[in-house]
């Protein structure tokens, strides 16, 4: 018995001519936050909908908690929570009623439900708005309600489909912290986004998707290690001599070194110690360092290298 | 239970639904009542006609005429001398004068007499002449019962006369028909609840993204459908019962005294409307509101053809194209309700109800089959 919470094998989903998922496979381990990163239309939501058996797919195999998932897998569904991409709440119910209703689909006991609903409200910080109808909530608050509705019943597996779209940075951070807390509480999480920063911030593993395919997967560092594009280091340091330059060049993980107008430019492979290694050499020689810049490669660079295009052409 | 409660709340807070199925019909009835009830009362309850009597002879025939006319509800005998009576008649102050001769009664009408006036006044005279033999026998034998029954008969006959001479010529009474049509319209609009019911199961149907949440939940579709169906049915039954109550109580249009059949009607018609709504929701394309709008268009057509605006429309179909009445649900419901209230014999009421029930069963079967096949929430 493996600890795989989700295993998707060779999933194919077609919309008429369009192939939304093209032999897509993925695994999620227990307690993990898996990020699905991909541009609009890459198939993130489609993947989730197939896993949840809301959407019929053409071929492939989906197991959740080791069991085959079907529309009638009520025992599995009981363990799952979902925060859909589009806010899905009843306009005619208040914040409290919405959470209570959706939690009630899972939890029959009134007392227990009351406790869970209040916990969820506190979790997303909507205490001051329990009597509000969704129409009166701001975009960010609405997103929080959307989250509360999905997690109140304390699911073991939670899907977040772009929960931070159109949310200000502060609320966004709250949401991300919340997700980390849920993981601490033992939940396994699938998180989709086209914001690479978010994915880098919270995900243990990332699958980069494009056109319905998984083009790369691994931890953030592993992914960055897969590409040639290196860390770019610039240090303003007057009076550098040839000897020092070649010394730097000899460091492992270093590709190119140049020095011009008092600025040392180094391209290094990905790694965490590059800057420190260089600074050590310079300081050994008693040189005065003025400014230091280091540009780390991003998941965007990873995406660029694998697909030849930017992850996001807007923004 | 929790789901039932919320489902009720959902239905009750759906403003469009409440508007179309309750507020709109009751408001229509209210305005119709304001505008037409007095005119209608004119046409149907008979205001006593002012008449004078001039005796040109003095025998039992003439003398007893006064006794009879004095007791007829629809006549108000004006006691003046001959000259004054003719003056009043010329000025249209009284509607007519009976000139009672030896063995005949002549009638003089005012210049502006109406058909109804003349019908009523003449009927009394005709009847008196025809039945005088009986009166005479009764008088000689002292049998007042015969006389009384004759007068009763005359009273009810004039009633009948007035019904037939009203502006409405069809079999049905179009004034009341309008109210029944409006009630039926409200019931037909319960279909909107049916549209929403199936939308709740389809994650891809526009605004109702919540369907996604219910379909990933461990609650089975059957439970969702049944909860949705019965909570909505409960709401619509309450609404239509209350509308009928308003009609009976505030607008004076009777719902009749046959409670079991009335309940049967309310149940059957509301189940029909809900299942018809499910059809709209399942077979029309587009987002929920589009499906609802298409349904509304169909309902309005059906309701229009049933005579909601032109009360004589069903009568016309009856004569030239009866099939329209037979298959138009709104007309079928109208007939059922109308016959339930007015007909002695309930056979035709039951026939209409059977039609409705059969159609409902058909709709529900198709809906169940279709919903069963949609294993996945979005297509
Ligand atoms: N109901 C549908 N009918 C036809 N094509 C669809 C449908 N739903 C999605 N698609 C297509 O499938 C592809 C994958 O869509 P999906 O929603 O999974 O993308 P996504 O990665 O979630 O994108 P986004 O970031 O915009 O949410 C897209 O090309 C989309 O146009
Ligand atoms: Mg998406």
């Amino acid at each position: 018995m493996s600890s795989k919470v989700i295993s998707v094998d060779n999933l194919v989903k077609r919309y008429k001519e369009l192939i939304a998922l093209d032999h897509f496979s993925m695994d999620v381990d227990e307690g993990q936050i898996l990020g699905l990163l991909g541009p609009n239309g890459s198939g993130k939501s489609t993947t989730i909908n197939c896993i949840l058996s809301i959407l019929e797919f053409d071929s492939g195999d989906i197991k959740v908690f080791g069991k085959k998932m079907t529309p009638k897998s009520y025992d599995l569904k009981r363990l799952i929570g979902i925060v859909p991409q589009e806010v899905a709440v009843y306009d005619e119910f208040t914040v409290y009623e919405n959470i209570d209703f959706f939690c009630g689909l899972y939890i029959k006991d009134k007392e227990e439900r009351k406790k869970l609903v209040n916990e969820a409200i506190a979790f997303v910080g909507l205490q001051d708005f329990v009597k509000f109808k969704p129409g009166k909530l701001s975009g960010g608050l609405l997103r929080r309600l959307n989250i509360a509705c999905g997690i109140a019943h304390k699911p073991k597996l939670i899907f977040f489909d772009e929960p931070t779209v159109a949310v200000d940075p502060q609320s966004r951070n709250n949401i991300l912290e919340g997700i980390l807390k849920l993981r601490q509480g033992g939940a396994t999480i699938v998180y989709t986004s086209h914001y690479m920063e978010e994915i880098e911030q919270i995900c243990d593993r990332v699958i980069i998707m494009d056109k319905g395919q998984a083009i790369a997967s691994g931890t953030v560092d592993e992914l960055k290690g897969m590409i040639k594009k290196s860390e770019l280091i610039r240090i303003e340091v007057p009076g550098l001599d040839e000897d020092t330059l070649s010394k730097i060049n000899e460091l492992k993980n270093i590709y190119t070194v140049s020095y011009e107008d008092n600025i040392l430019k180094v391209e290094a492979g990905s790694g965490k110690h590059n800057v420190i290694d260089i600074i050590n050499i310079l300081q050994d020689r008693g040189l005065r360092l003025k400014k230091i810049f280091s540009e780390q490669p991003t998941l965007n660079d990873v995406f660029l290298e694998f697909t030849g295009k930017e992850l996001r052409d807007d923004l | 239970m929790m789901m039932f409660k919320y489902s009720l709340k959902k239905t009750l807070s759906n403003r469009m639904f409440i508007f179309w199925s309750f507020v709109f019909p009751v408001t229509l009835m209210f305005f119709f009542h304001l505008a037409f009830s007095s005119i209608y009362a004119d046409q149907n309850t008979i205001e006593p006609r002012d008449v004078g009597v001039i005796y040109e002879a003095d025998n039992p025939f003439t003398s007893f005429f006064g006794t009879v006319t004095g007791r007829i509800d629809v006549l108000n005998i004006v006691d003046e001398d001959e000259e004054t009576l003719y003056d009043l008649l010329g000025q249209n102050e009284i509607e007519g004068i009976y000139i009672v001769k030896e063995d005949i009664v002549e009638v003089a009408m005012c210049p502006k007499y109406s058909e109804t006036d003349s019908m009523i006044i003449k009927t009394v005279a005709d009847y008196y002449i025809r039945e005088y033999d009986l009166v005479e026998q009764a008088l000689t034998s002292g049998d007042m019962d015969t006389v009384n029954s004759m007068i009763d008969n005359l009273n009810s006959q004039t009633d009948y006369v007035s019904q037939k001479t009203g502006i409405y010529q069809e079999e049905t009474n179009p004034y009341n028909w309008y109210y029944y049509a409006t009630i039926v319209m409200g019931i037909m609009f319960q279909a909107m609840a049916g549209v929403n019911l199936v939308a709740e199961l389809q994650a891809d149907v526009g605004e109702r993204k919540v369907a996604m949440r219910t379909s990933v939940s461990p609650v089975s579709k059957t439970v969702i459908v049944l909860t949705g169906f019965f909570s909505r049915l409960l709401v619509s039954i309450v609404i239509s019962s209350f509308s009928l109550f308003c009609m009976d109580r505030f607008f004076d249009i009777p719902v009749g005294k046959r409670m079991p059949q009335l309940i049967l009607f309310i149940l059957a018609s509301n189940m029909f409307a809900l299942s018809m709504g499910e059809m709209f929701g399942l077979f029309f394309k587009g987002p929920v509101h589009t499906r609802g709008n298409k349904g509304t268009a169909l309902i309005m057509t059906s309701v229009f053809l049933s005579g909601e605006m032109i009360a004589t429309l069903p009568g016309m179909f009856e004569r030239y194209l009866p099939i329209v009445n037979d298959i138009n649900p709104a007309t079928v419901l109208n007939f059922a309700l109308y016959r339930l209230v007015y007909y002695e014999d309930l056979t035709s009421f039951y026939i209409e109800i059977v039609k409705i029930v059969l159609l409902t069963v058909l709709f529900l079967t198709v809906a169940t089959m279709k919903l069963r096949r949609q294993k996945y929430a979005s297509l």
Side-chain angles (χ1 to χ4, degrees):
Chain A
M1 183 60 213
S2 74
S3 62
K4 293 260 175 289
V5 173
I6 302 177
S7 56
V8 172
D9 193 33
N10 270 310
L11 191 58
V12 176
K13 167 71 193 171
R14 283 196 187 82
Y15 289 110
K16 299 212 175 82
E17 294 303 294
L18 183 113
I19 300 183
L21 290 177
D22 186 2
H23 298 276
F24 178 82
S25 301
M26 71 178 233
D27 287 323
V28 187
D29 292 333
E30 193 174 345
Q32 219 173 36
I33 300 183
L34 174 89
L36 286 178
L37 178 66
N40 291 133
S42 53
K44 305 182 294 292
S45 300
T46 307
T47 306
I48 293 183
N49 292 344
C50 288
I51 295 175
L52 291 171
S53 264
I54 315 175
L55 198 59
E56 197 168 11
F57 47 90
D58 297 272
S59 67
D61 210 30
I62 295 174
K63 285 205 177 101
V64 177
F65 294 107
K67 289 191 207 160
K68 191 172 162 58
M69 182 77 179
T70 69
K72 289 196 183 242
S73 305
Y74 300 125
D75 51 337
L76 296 178
K77 287 181 168 185
R78 199 169 286 286
L79 306 172
I80 299 175
I82 132 173
V83 178
Q85 180 165 4
E86 281 163 80
V87 175
V89 295
Y90 285 110
D91 293 333
E92 51 270 55
F93 293 171
T94 64
V95 165
Y96 186 93
E97 287 166 344
N98 263 298
I99 304 174
D100 188 42
F101 175 77
F102 291 116
C103 185
L105 299 175
Y106 300 80
I107 310 289
K108 293 289 163 236
D109 184 78
K110 239 179 164 177
E111 286 306 308
E112 189 189 352
R113 194 165 74 234
K114 196 167 169 190
K115 191 175 129 261
L116 289 173
V117 171
N118 284 319
E119 275 175 27
I121 289 170
F123 185 80
V124 296
L126 282 176
Q127 295 93 325
D128 296 339
F129 303 95
V130 284
K131 291 236 164 71
F132 280 51
K133 296 243 169 101
K136 295 235 163 80
L137 295 179
S138 71
L141 294 177
L142 209 51
R143 288 269 156 198
R144 292 199 223 167
L145 171 60
N146 198 34
I147 293 172
C149 290
I151 58 146
H153 59 287
K154 295 241 154 79
K156 287 208 153 46
L157 168 62
I158 313 173
F159 293 86
F160 285 90
D161 197 354
E162 310 205 24
T164 58
V165 171
V167 166
D168 66 69
Q170 169 128 27
S171 303
R172 180 178 299 189
N173 274 331
N174 287 340
I175 291 174
L176 296 181
E177 278 164 24
I179 292 173
L180 288 172
K181 260 195 263 167
L182 288 171
R183 193 260 302 271
Q184 268 168 26
T188 305
I189 287 158
V190 175
Y191 185 91
T192 86
S193 179
H194 51 237
Y195 296 119
M196 54 196 176
E197 305 83 2
E198 294 182 352
I199 297 269
E200 283 191 32
Q201 203 175 325
I202 63 167
C203 294
D204 305 313
R205 270 184 66 238
V206 180
I207 297 177
I208 298 184
M209 292 185 73
D210 189 36
K211 297 188 180 138
Q213 292 175 314
I215 54 171
S217 72
T219 64
V220 172
D221 286 338
E222 279 167 7
L223 285 170
K224 287 179 180 173
M226 285 177 197
I227 59 169
K228 283 200 251 21
K229 165 144 189 210
S230 33
E231 184 178 1
L232 184 65
I233 301 161
R234 279 184 297 171
I235 301 175
E236 194 177 338
V237 46
L240 205 62
D241 56 22
E242 281 298 323
D243 186 40
T244 318
L245 282 181
S246 60
K247 190 87 188 165
I248 292 171
N249 217 347
E250 280 164 24
L251 283 170
K252 88 173 186 339
N253 222 6
I254 300 291
Y255 301 143
T256 63
V257 179
S258 64
Y259 184 63
E260 224 173 84
D261 297 336
N262 288 344
I263 295 186
L264 168 71
K265 267 192 196 169
V266 180
E267 273 183 15
S270 63
K272 294 200 164 153
H273 310 292
N274 298 332
V275 180
I276 295 172
D277 290 348
I278 295 170
I279 291 173
N280 282 343
I281 293 176
L282 296 176
Q283 283 180 336
D284 282 351
R285 277 148 220 252
L287 291 163
R288 265 184 60 231
L289 314 179
K290 283 189 169 165
K291 283 177 186 161
I292 305 169
F293 301 97
S294 159
E295 265 177 42
Q296 292 282 346
T298 63
L299 288 176
N300 191 34
D301 299 315
V302 180
F303 190 80
L304 183 65
E305 195 156 323
F306 276 107
T307 66
K309 62 185 187 200
E310 296 277 330
L311 186 55
R312 307 199 59 210
D313 19 35
D314 52 349
L315 205 125
Chain B
M1 209 50 229
M2 179 280 320
M3 282 184 66
F4 195 79
K5 188 186 90 191
Y6 277 114
S7 188
L8 277 182
K9 191 169 163 66
K10 228 179 302 173
T11 314
L12 287 172
S13 50
N14 181 342
R15 293 216 189 105
M16 285 313 277
F17 167 72
I18 298 293
F19 176 79
W20 286 109
S21 64
F22 180 63
V23 180
F24 183 56
V26 171
T27 315
L28 273 187
M29 290 197 284
F30 176 67
F31 282 114
F32 195 73
H33 181 77
L34 281 189
F36 296 112
S37 62
S38 58
I39 298 176
Y40 177 72
D42 239 22
Q43 292 292 338
N44 274 271
T45 54
I46 302 164
E47 299 251 316
R49 264 62 184 176
D50 294 326
V51 290
V53 184
I54 298 169
Y55 300 96
E56 293 194 345
D58 188 11
N59 60 23
F61 179 83
T62 51
S63 63
F64 197 66
F65 185 78
T67 319
V68 172
T69 47
R71 287 172 54 184
I72 292 178
D73 303 340
V74 292
L75 298 181
N76 177 34
I77 308 297
V78 178
D79 197 10
E80 295 288 352
D81 61 42
E82 186 171 339
E83 204 173 323
T84 326
L85 283 176
Y86 277 114
D87 278 351
L88 290 172
L89 190 71
Q91 294 155 20
N92 294 307
E93 292 289 318
I94 58 176
E95 269 84 36
I97 299 178
Y98 289 112
I99 304 139
V100 192
K101 302 189 169 163
E102 189 104 24
D103 55 359
I104 198 159
V105 180
E106 286 179 353
V107 173
M109 296 301 299
C110 66
K112 284 194 180 164
Y113 73 89
S114 72
E115 276 306 314
T116 324
D117 293 342
S118 98
M119 186 79 77
I120 292 167
I121 294 170
K122 281 179 183 158
T123 304
V124 172
D126 285 348
Y127 193 75
Y128 183 75
I129 298 163
R130 234 182 318 119
E131 304 291 328
Y132 179 71
D133 285 349
L134 262 181
V135 177
E136 203 176 20
Q137 279 171 27
L139 284 179
T140 46
S141 68
D143 172 15
M144 275 318 280
D145 283 352
T146 313
V147 178
N148 285 337
S149 78
M150 177 199 148
I151 292 169
D152 283 347
N153 203 354
L154 195 50
N155 270 328
S156 68
Q157 258 211 351
T158 42
D159 236 12
Y160 175 75
V161 166
S162 87
Q163 288 282 353
K164 278 296 175 200
T165 52
I167 40 168
Y168 305 115
Q169 301 295 331
E170 298 301 332
E171 167 221 27
T172 49
N173 172 335
Y175 177 75
N176 292 10
W177 182 264
Y178 180 86
Y179 288 90
Y180 297 126
T182 310
I183 289 282
V184 166
M185 179 181 74
I187 293 174
M188 296 278 284
F189 271 113
Q190 312 282 12
M192 293 302 110
V195 176
N196 281 324
L197 167 64
V198 290
E200 245 162 52
L201 298 164
Q202 298 171 304
D204 61 335
V205 185
E207 308 100 289
R208 282 297 187 193
K209 294 287 173 202
V210 278
M212 186 165 185
R213 287 194 190 279
T214 38
S215 39
V216 300
S217 81
V219 179
S220 76
K221 204 148 74 171
T222 318
V223 172
I224 297 174
V225 175
L226 290 181
T227 318
F229 189 84
F230 285 107
S231 63
R232 284 171 173 81
L233 187 63
L234 181 64
V235 172
S236 51
I237 283 175
V238 169
I239 288 182
S240 41
S241 307
F242 190 62
S243 304
L244 280 166
F245 172 81
C246 290
M247 182 184 82
D248 184 85
R249 201 45 68 87
F250 306 128
F251 309 130
D252 284 334
I253 306 298
V255 295
K257 293 213 166 54
R258 295 151 159 160
M259 272 307 136
Q261 283 87 350
L262 188 65
I263 290 168
L264 174 68
F265 171 80
I266 293 174
L267 248 161
S269 56
N270 279 302
M271 282 188 67
F272 166 75
L274 256 175
S275 59
M276 179 175 69
E278 287 189 22
M279 290 290 103
F280 295 161
L282 287 171
F283 288 97
F284 288 144
K285 300 266 171 286
V288 196
H289 70 265
T290 314
R291 297 177 193 212
N293 289 346
K294 288 178 187 169
T296 305
L298 261 185
I299 290 172
M300 281 316 246
T301 312
S302 168
V303 164
F304 174 77
L305 293 179
S306 80
E308 159 71 21
M309 275 168 253
I310 306 170
T312 49
L313 219 47
M316 248 169 60
F317 286 126
E318 193 74 64
R319 212 169 305 153
Y320 301 111
L321 204 59
I323 181 81
V324 176
N325 284 350
D326 291 337
I327 60 169
N328 179 20
T331 314
V332 171
L333 286 172
N334 271 355
F335 275 141
L337 185 54
Y338 193 88
R339 289 170 184 174
L340 171 62
V341 178
Y342 290 108
Y343 282 28
E344 280 289 306
D345 179 12
L346 283 182
T347 318
S348 51
F349 163 76
Y350 285 120
I351 290 174
E352 305 296 358
I353 290 291
V354 166
K355 279 193 212 168
I356 290 296
V357 170
L358 286 181
L359 213 53
T360 308
V361 170
L362 175 73
F363 284 172
L364 286 179
T365 316
V366 173
T368 313
M369 270 162 44
K370 177 123 178 146
L371 281 171
R372 278 251 169 121
R373 279 214 273 136
Q374 294 178 349
K375 259 198 247 138
Y376 296 85
S378 54
L379 309 167

